[in-house]
Amino acid sequence: MGGMDDIARVFDNFAWRVHTPYSVYAANFYKSLSYVESLLKSNGFAQYEKFCKQHPRVRKRALKDFLIEPVTHLPRFILVFKDIEKSMMKFSEPADLKLLKSTITAISLSCHQTESKFREFELIRIASELQSAVIWPKFQHIDPRAVIPEGVDLRSGTGSFPEQPADSPSLEYTNTRYLKHFGMLKLYERIPTNASSSRMVTVNVAVFLFNDMFLVTKPVAKAKPTRGEVLSQPLQTDAVVAGLSPDTFDYHVYRQACPVDRLDIHEVPVSGVFNSAFCVVQFNRFMQTTRAYTLEAGDDKERDKWISAIKDTKQRFR
């Protein structure tokens, strides 16, 4: 019994000596990131970082990449705790494990909460960067056949004509709009080959699910920096892992944004064509279908996350 208590005390010691600083660091992560970004605006500091990146141990990684390293340890701790608990179950009585189990459970819960908070900050940061990275279409691209008489103002719709929409939706985090989920998906479409036939093609799209809006965009690489200009490296976060980087891409709106309460979602059966696919159907207030997106994720787990996120967002919107 004493041995189990000693082990429990080790974990308890970890909780306040190690995990608490991790939690504080994660909560203030973006303050650190903002400070580093302000330093990188100085050409001298940017050149110093460039020099440091040449060191073999750095492996050409940017300073911002190292800032996130402590936070990435949290999920690893949770896995270690679970492995230890399983191992202890084989050699100890359940009564002996009570204190150890409760301590591990408390630490794991705290890790999950910290990780969840960091994920929330990540979504806020992405939404903020998207505000300038998302390119909304001009009205004549949406409806090229429309005739707009002189003096008619379209601001109540998609924006002023014919320039970039002046009142395009704000994507920055607010109490009424916030990013819920994002990722790179494959969009299936048909294009006509002649008057009577068509063929199916795929388009790589970046999809953003807000609490009130479903947005499909097409990533377009930004112009490369001119000679001597310092290019900011994207932070290695969930967004970059998912293939999203507002630092290096613009996101051209591929289809007009859709309100989440006007969506239905369906899982697509596996076939010779589709794997890990789902279909998002858009309808209007008269319950008429106006558009359908057949999207394919990287695997079933990712597809299920999208389906769950869209259903949950639609339910909460009501």
Side-chain angles (χ1 to χ4, degrees):
M1 181 68 178
M4 291 298 105
D5 287 347
D6 289 340
I7 294 174
R9 278 191 287 272
V10 169
F11 279 96
D12 190 52
N13 189 53
F14 167 86
W16 67 273
R17 284 185 178 272
V18 180
H19 182 256
T20 299
Y22 268 87
S23 302
V24 174
Y25 181 84
N28 293 279
F29 171 77
Y30 283 107
K31 291 182 181 179
S32 302
L33 181 60
S34 297
Y35 180 65
V36 169
E37 289 178 340
S38 68
L39 290 176
L40 287 171
K41 292 178 181 178
S42 164
N43 190 58
F45 188 87
Q47 291 299 326
Y48 175 69
E49 185 199 37
K50 187 177 180 180
F51 170 77
C52 293
K53 286 164 66 175
Q54 305 307 312
H55 194 284
R57 292 180 61 188
V58 177
R59 294 180 296 178
K60 298 185 178 181
R61 297 176 67 191
L63 178 58
K64 291 189 292 184
D65 297 335
F66 287 99
L67 289 179
I68 200 174
E69 283 294 324
V71 183
T72 62
H73 294 165
L74 293 175
R76 301 174 193 171
F77 288 140
I78 296 171
L79 294 175
V80 170
F81 296 154
K82 287 182 178 179
D83 287 341
I84 291 174
E85 187 176 353
K86 287 180 182 178
S87 299
M88 291 295 183
M89 290 291 289
K90 298 177 182 178
F91 305 105
S92 306
E93 295 296 326
D96 296 338
L97 292 171
K98 187 175 180 180
L99 180 58
L100 176 62
K101 198 168 184 178
S102 63
T103 304
I104 290 177
T105 300
I107 296 174
S108 296
L109 178 61
S110 183
C111 285
H112 279 301
Q113 290 173 340
T114 302
E115 188 181 15
S116 176
K117 190 67 177 177
F118 178 78
R119 169 72 173 177
E120 180 183 332
F121 290 147
E122 169 73 348
L123 292 174
I124 293 173
R125 185 187 72 85
I126 295 168
S128 178
E129 292 182 353
L130 285 176
Q131 181 62 26
S132 59
V134 169
I135 309 299
W136 296 87
K138 298 176 182 179
F139 182 79
Q140 70 267 37
H141 295 158
I142 300 171
D143 189 358
R145 296 186 179 185
V147 176
I148 310 299
E150 186 176 351
V152 174
D153 189 359
L154 301 179
R155 288 179 191 273
S156 60
T158 55
S160 57
F161 179 84
E163 301 301 326
Q164 178 79 9
D167 59 349
S168 54
S170 172
L171 302 180
E172 292 193 20
Y173 179 90
T174 66
N175 290 332
T176 57
R177 174 168 294 144
Y178 45 90
L179 186 61
K180 297 271 291 182
H181 198 62
F182 62 88
M184 292 294 299
L185 297 170
K186 188 184 295 183
L187 173 66
Y188 285 89
E189 290 189 315
R190 285 197 173 277
I191 59 172
T193 52
N194 53 50
S196 59
S197 63
S198 63
R199 64 185 178 89
M200 190 161 61
V201 298
T202 59
V203 181
N204 291 323
V205 292
V207 182
F208 303 94
L209 175 66
F210 291 81
N211 64 305
D212 62 345
M213 177 173 60
F214 183 78
L215 185 62
V216 179
T217 69
K218 186 175 182 180
V220 177
K222 291 182 178 180
K224 293 183 178 180
T226 57
R227 196 167 193 176
E229 183 180 350
V230 177
L231 178 63
S232 175
Q233 294 295 319
L235 179 68
Q236 293 300 311
T237 61
D238 290 347
V240 177
V241 172
L244 304 175
S245 176
D247 290 332
T248 53
F249 286 93
D250 283 325
Y251 299 93
H252 292 246
V253 175
Y254 198 66
R255 297 285 184 268
Q256 283 295 76
C258 174
V260 294
D261 62 327
R262 302 294 183 188
L263 294 178
D264 274 336
I265 188 163
H266 307 273
E267 184 175 331
V268 177
V270 177
S271 66
V273 178
F274 304 112
N275 293 293
S276 305
F278 60 97
C279 187
V280 178
V281 179
Q282 179 181 345
F283 55 90
N284 60 22
R285 59 182 295 192
F286 306 110
M287 304 307 293
Q288 296 171 306
T289 300
T290 57
R291 190 175 300 281
Y293 305 89
T294 298
L295 298 158
E296 187 171 85
D299 53 40
D300 290 352
K301 185 178 179 181
E302 185 183 351
R303 176 204 59 200
D304 293 343
K305 283 184 179 179
W306 271 105
I307 292 175
S308 176
I310 293 174
K311 286 182 176 179
D312 178 69
T313 302
K314 182 179 177 181
Q315 182 66 30
R316 290 177 183 272
F317 187 80
R318 294 172 181 174

